[in-house]
Amino acid sequence: MSSIAIDPGHGGKDPGAIGPTGLKEKECALKIALKVGQMLKKHNVKVIYTRTDDSYPSLTQRAELANKAKADYFVSIHLNSSTSPSAHGTETFSFKRGTVGEKLAQKIQSHLVKSIRLANRGVKQENLLVLKKTKMPAALVEVCFISNPKEEALLKSDAFLNKAAEGISRGILAQLSTT
Ligand SMILES: [Zn+2]
């Protein structure tokens, strides 16, 4: 049985980004992450969450939890933010190019964009701590911009959160089907 560590970004003392009407990244990330977990479990995938409530494990703790559980993949779920309110769309990060983590990021990105139909900002590389410290292939998805008024409004809709979770799950399942 494959196992996936799902990491809802931020939590507890760390709200993450905050939208123009006050919506918090930590809450949206948790809702999407729990939905992704439910969908994966239906496909017989073992799910390890780094948090399931409003707590704040440190970035190192999140990576160590996934490493100890020997998860096959690690997926961190975030909402993007910019000082420019017009910034919009979906992007996914991997630690390095040419890795299985990049393949995972590409699959999540393409299925997520198909599902929620926001602008495709592509797959990028960044030296993010959770991607660096996890031993398994890892990706970090920025579903949309909570700082953008239109995209923040979408995040208040359960139907949108479901679509986002479906897209992320399909991407993960597509990656699992290659291994
Ligand atoms: Zn974040």
Side-chain angles (χ1 to χ4, degrees):
M1 192 193 256
S2 302
S3 60
I4 308 285
I6 302 281
D7 175 41
H10 312 278
K13 64 181 182 186
D14 170 19
I18 297 175
T21 74
L23 194 66
K24 292 180 181 127
E25 179 185 358
K26 67 173 183 179
E27 288 166 7
C28 302
L30 180 59
K31 281 185 190 168
I32 296 169
L34 293 174
K35 288 175 187 291
V36 169
Q38 283 166 8
M39 290 171 188
L40 292 176
K41 283 178 190 172
K42 281 186 195 155
H43 289 264
N44 230 11
V45 174
K46 188 181 171 199
V47 175
I48 300 126
Y49 294 105
T50 58
R51 68 178 179 100
T52 54
D53 58 13
D54 188 24
S55 58
Y56 181 80
S58 73
L59 298 178
T60 303
Q61 283 169 336
R62 293 171 200 240
E64 279 173 357
L65 192 132
N67 291 343
K68 274 194 193 128
K70 296 191 163 51
D72 295 311
Y73 294 97
F74 180 93
V75 177
S76 190
I77 297 173
H78 288 251
L79 288 312
N80 223 332
S81 176
S82 168
T83 51
S84 159
S86 62
H88 64 283
T90 302
E91 60 193 21
T92 305
F93 291 92
S94 70
F95 182 50
K96 281 182 179 161
R97 263 185 212 291
T99 58
V100 180
E102 186 189 23
K103 291 205 168 74
L104 171 68
Q106 285 165 345
K107 290 195 174 71
I108 290 173
Q109 175 73 12
S110 73
H111 284 272
L112 180 55
V113 167
K114 254 185 229 161
S115 186
I116 62 176
R117 300 184 174 278
L118 296 179
N120 188 347
R121 300 170 63 96
V123 169
K124 300 174 180 179
Q125 276 67 42
E126 207 168 303
N127 189 355
L128 299 167
L129 197 78
V130 285
L131 301 182
K132 188 176 173 175
K133 291 207 166 179
T134 40
K135 290 177 181 161
M136 65 291 302
L140 183 148
V141 55
E142 302 271 10
V143 174
C144 65
F145 278 75
I146 197 169
S147 51
N148 178 298
K150 280 186 198 157
E151 296 192 353
E152 185 204 30
L154 288 174
L155 289 164
K156 293 177 184 172
S157 143
D158 202 50
F160 178 82
L161 299 179
N162 282 333
K163 275 188 193 168
E166 269 167 26
I168 295 167
S169 304
R170 284 190 193 126
I172 293 169
L173 291 168
Q175 179 60 33
L176 287 178
S177 72
T178 67
T179 51

